[in-house]
Amino acid sequence: MSDAHVISAEFPAEGILNFARESSFDLVALAGTGRSAMSGLLLGSNARTVVRDADRPVLLVPTHSRVEPGAAIAKLRSAAVSSVA
């Protein structure tokens, strides 16, 4: 099951952070693009801003890992359930 939401904000990082706060998310998961001026870095400017300003944990998944979003979410859910048990 997945939900899609359109986030509108002047700056993408601001929209992501506001949506996470308003929705009371426990975790923010982002794919790092590395499209910044320093292309050797994992983080693009939006991901870097979210990591810096988030008031909750942020999970970064490198885009070169080729992990499908659904598979990553399923692994996270499985890990969360097994750590509670």
Side-chain angles (χ1 to χ4, degrees):
M1 180 177 144
S2 66
D3 293 324
H5 299 276
V6 175
I7 301 170
S8 177
E10 185 175 353
F11 301 102
E14 177 186 313
I16 292 166
L17 291 167
N18 288 339
F19 185 68
R21 258 185 241 107
E22 292 165 5
S23 301
S24 300
F25 290 151
D26 295 324
L27 173 75
V28 176
L30 296 173
T33 61
R35 292 186 188 160
S36 65
M38 302 169 79
S39 61
L41 296 176
L42 168 68
L43 301 179
S45 60
N46 288 312
R48 194 171 28 253
T49 300
V50 171
V51 168
R52 184 187 64 226
D53 296 343
D55 60 353
R56 62 205 70 232
V58 178
L59 171 68
L60 293 170
V61 180
T63 54
H64 64 271
S65 71
R66 305 267 186 227
V67 174
E68 292 293 321
I73 291 170
K75 280 188 167 188
L76 287 170
R77 284 185 179 146
S78 174
V81 169
S82 64
S83 69
V84 172

